[in-house]
Amino acid sequence: MKRKVIGEILLEMGLITPEQQKSVLEEQAKTKEKFGAILLKKGILTEQQLMEILEFRLGIPQVQLSKMDIDPDVIKLLPPQLIRLHKVLPISRRKNILTLAMADPLNQQAIEDVRMATNMDVVPVLASEKDMDTAIRQYLAFRLDPKMENIVNELGLDGKANAMRLKELQNMKLDEDAPVIRMVNSILVQAVQGRCSDIHIEPQEKDLRVRFRVDGELYEVLSLPQLSQAAVISRIKISANMDIAEKRVPQDGRFRMVVDGREVDFRVSTLPTALGEKAVLRILDRGSALTRVDQLGLSPLNKEYLLSLSRRPHGMLLVTGPTGSGKTTTLYSVLGEVNSVDKNIITLEDPIEYTLAGINQVQINLRAGLTFASGLRSILRQDPDIIMVGEIRDQETAQLAVQAALTGHLVLSTLHTNSAAGTIARIKDMGIEDFLLASSLSGIVSQRLVRQLCPNCKEKYNLAEETASKLGMPEESGHEFYRPVGCNMCRQLGYQGRIALHEIMVVGPRVRELINRGENSEDEIEATARREGMVTIREDGMEKARQGKTSLEEVLKVVLLEG
């Protein structure tokens, strides 16, 4: 009902045609998306236009959540499940009147549910979909199940109950309402909803510590009774199909669960420590990980470079950087850019982190003898157009990748190196001859991840001369930068999300000549690449710091200042 009303309002105002209304309704019947969301996706209206129309026609005031400081106690008036279900957020309370921010203020069912849950009169206000998503994620991050305290108490009541009988665990005769299952499920759900990348569950001398990694930083979110350690770790190992009786050696596994209607994979690693087994769970959220090239945070020039390299019919494109620098995300975004029905794309991955429609993905299996090298040899007999190799780890894989690039294939892969220029010496160390590398290498992307400043509370300042001098960058003295402050939207951290810094070396004639004649000097190669248009990671980072996307401190943490 509510979606039909929105469509009729826009139709009456002449802002959409009957054909457009019909098209949106047909897509809505298939995808179950909101009418307004489909309008935005199709580009029929902008979000601001839609907001202004609804505000004007319905008389519902518009609010900007990113500029509001909402009392957390007001938000606690509603359970997290209801907030996420209807995409609503209580923003203020006056006596028995609750002001409720809504992405869809025509959703009468949501208003009625909130009224019943709070026993208060509800006054809806309008907020953009993007604002709602950000606010809900930030205000509810790490807000564990309200009944968590009771669950913790249940886990701590009896040592025998916490240890759980091994036979019972092995036979999985655990009631879904058992405290340990509710505890683990709540931790997993909150980590996913809080956009965490990893969960650390670690035995301590007096308790069991739970930490979440968010935007590259670890935060402690929960302390559980020490006696719950065996039950919690065993529950996770059962889910990941691991041997719960074996506690002396590290183990790996994975499992999948549905969170908020989407499938999320968890990659599990356990490690025996002096105080007991530690578990780390890597979260692979299919719904949030697949990123388009224009969402990578590339500067206009670097975006042009990357798209140009990805559209070449053959050659080798390498993405480099330390572990956790977003290399896989960049590779997947490039694959999404080149994926089409007329291309045979095959990947070799260890492990396959996300399933890509229309692409043939192969999982490395060392026990069965399927390595990167043997897999690559087999792939070359499968008539591929584009090959993605998760990582070049040895000489044989490097030689096969180079050979594939020389014989008419576009080859994408990763390496662990510190810079684009330094990658060339690394590949040569693997035994690749100069003339082969010069002929096959198309380009190198080197990247790092830094935390992104919270747009709601970041503060502008001018870099003092003394500070600029101490940092070895006197030329930046007096220039405007931004620093973190902290607010409720960013959980007082001053940062919200991460952004990548890039340097992209397109191998041009001069760099190719240096490689061909055996030049190994990183400085010489970098200087030549810069003359051919390359922007270094440091330069890219400094520009993003000036624009207020990140702080100077974040850039300096990941970028060497020399050079």
Side-chain angles (χ1 to χ4, degrees), residues 42 81-82 87 247 275 320 335 382 390 393 404 417 419:
K42 288 178 172 286
Q81 297 89 337
L82 194 60
K87 199 169 283 190
K247 305 178 190 299
L275 297 173
T320 74
L335 288 175
Q382 289 283 317
R393 296 178 179 172
T417 58
S419 67

Side-chain angles (χ1 to χ4, degrees), residues 318-323 325 327 391-392 414-427 429-430 444-448 503 522 537:
L318 299 175
V319 182
T320 74
T323 301
S325 59
K327 298 188 295 295
E391 184 182 347
I392 295 177
T414 70
L415 271 178
H416 291 280
T417 58
N418 291 324
S419 67
T423 303
I424 291 169
R426 176 80 180 91
I427 302 174
D429 287 343
M430 291 183 173
I444 302 167
V445 179
S446 182
Q447 65 182 60
R448 302 288 187 283
E503 67 181 25
E522 189 173 329
I537 279 188

Side-chain angles (χ1 to χ4, degrees), residues 142 190-199 212-215 283:
F142 312 155
Q190 296 302 321
V192 172
Q193 291 171 341
R195 298 284 180 93
C196 305
S197 61
D198 302 87
I199 305 168
F212 289 171
R213 188 177 293 280
V214 186
D215 300 334
I283 300 172

Side-chain angles (χ1 to χ4, degrees), residues 199-203 233 236 268-271 277-281:
I199 305 168
H200 291 241
I201 300 175
E202 308 159 311
I233 297 296
I236 291 169
V268 183
S269 171
T270 62
L271 183 72
E277 281 186 291
K278 168 183 175 174
V280 175
L281 291 81

Side-chain angles (χ1 to χ4, degrees), residues 10-81:
L10 298 173
L11 191 62
E12 287 171 11
M13 297 181 75
L15 294 164
I16 63 172
T17 65
E19 291 77 18
Q20 287 173 326
Q21 183 192 33
K22 182 182 177 184
S23 171
V24 173
L25 287 171
E26 286 174 351
E27 183 166 339
Q28 188 184 43
K30 297 176 185 174
T31 65
K32 309 300 180 186
E33 289 181 271
K34 292 181 179 178
F35 191 96
I38 298 172
L39 280 176
L40 301 181
K41 186 171 70 175
K42 288 178 172 286
I44 297 172
L45 291 175
T46 66
E47 187 170 44
Q48 190 56 38
Q49 285 175 322
L50 185 60
M51 295 270 292
E52 289 172 357
I53 291 160
L54 291 173
E55 182 180 26
F56 171 75
R57 187 61 186 261
L58 302 174
I60 298 175
Q62 184 183 156
V63 295
Q64 286 186 287
L65 296 177
S66 60
K67 296 183 178 179
M68 298 180 71
D69 193 14
I70 305 171
D71 184 351
D73 289 335
V74 174
I75 296 172
K76 289 177 183 176
L77 292 171
L78 281 183
Q81 297 89 337

Side-chain angles (χ1 to χ4, degrees), residues 76 93 139 282-283 297 330 448 452:
K76 289 177 183 176
R93 174 187 183 177
Y139 280 105
R282 166 62 57 89
I283 300 172
T330 299
R448 302 288 187 283
Q452 194 165 242

Side-chain angles (χ1 to χ4, degrees), residues 62-233:
Q62 184 183 156
V63 295
Q64 286 186 287
L65 296 177
S66 60
K67 296 183 178 179
M68 298 180 71
D69 193 14
I70 305 171
D71 184 351
D73 289 335
V74 174
I75 296 172
K76 289 177 183 176
L77 292 171
L78 281 183
Q81 297 89 337
L82 194 60
I83 290 174
R84 291 190 173 101
L85 174 66
H86 291 307
K87 199 169 283 190
V88 298
L89 196 70
I91 59 174
S92 67
R93 174 187 183 177
R94 187 179 177 186
K95 295 183 179 178
N96 199 46
I97 298 172
L98 185 69
T99 303
L100 187 71
M102 305 180 69
D104 182 1
L106 297 177
N107 188 340
Q108 292 301 318
Q109 182 63 55
I111 293 173
E112 185 58 31
D113 286 352
V114 171
R115 184 181 291 121
M116 291 185 68
T118 60
N119 199 27
M120 298 172 70
D121 293 329
V122 177
V123 177
V125 294
L126 183 63
S128 74
E129 192 98 16
K130 183 180 177 182
D131 249 12
M132 288 298 304
D133 286 339
T134 302
I136 289 171
R137 185 171 69 249
Q138 297 304 326
Y139 280 105
L140 295 191
F142 312 155
R143 183 176 155 193
L144 296 173
D145 189 326
K147 299 175 183 175
M148 183 63 77
E149 191 174 335
N150 294 335
I151 301 174
V152 171
N153 289 336
E154 287 179 56
L155 279 171
L157 284 176
D158 183 358
K160 292 180 181 177
N162 290 317
M164 309 295 282
R165 292 193 307 276
L166 183 60
K167 187 176 179 182
E168 183 182 51
L169 284 166
Q170 286 172 325
N171 294 331
M172 297 188 68
K173 292 179 180 176
L174 286 176
D175 190 311
E176 282 301 311
D177 198 43
V180 64
I181 294 181
R182 286 186 286 135
M183 170 68 70
V184 171
N185 286 350
S186 183
I187 290 170
L188 299 181
V189 169
Q190 296 302 321
V192 172
Q193 291 171 341
R195 298 284 180 93
C196 305
S197 61
D198 302 87
I199 305 168
H200 291 241
I201 300 175
E202 308 159 311
Q204 305 291 296
E205 284 193 9
K206 296 182 179 179
D207 58 12
L208 182 67
R209 182 172 66 176
V210 180
R211 295 191 291 172
F212 289 171
R213 188 177 293 280
V214 186
D215 300 334
E217 303 288 328
L218 274 172
Y219 301 96
E220 183 169 344
V221 296
L222 189 62
S223 176
L224 299 176
Q226 187 183 41
L227 288 169
S228 67
Q229 190 261 347
V232 170
I233 297 296

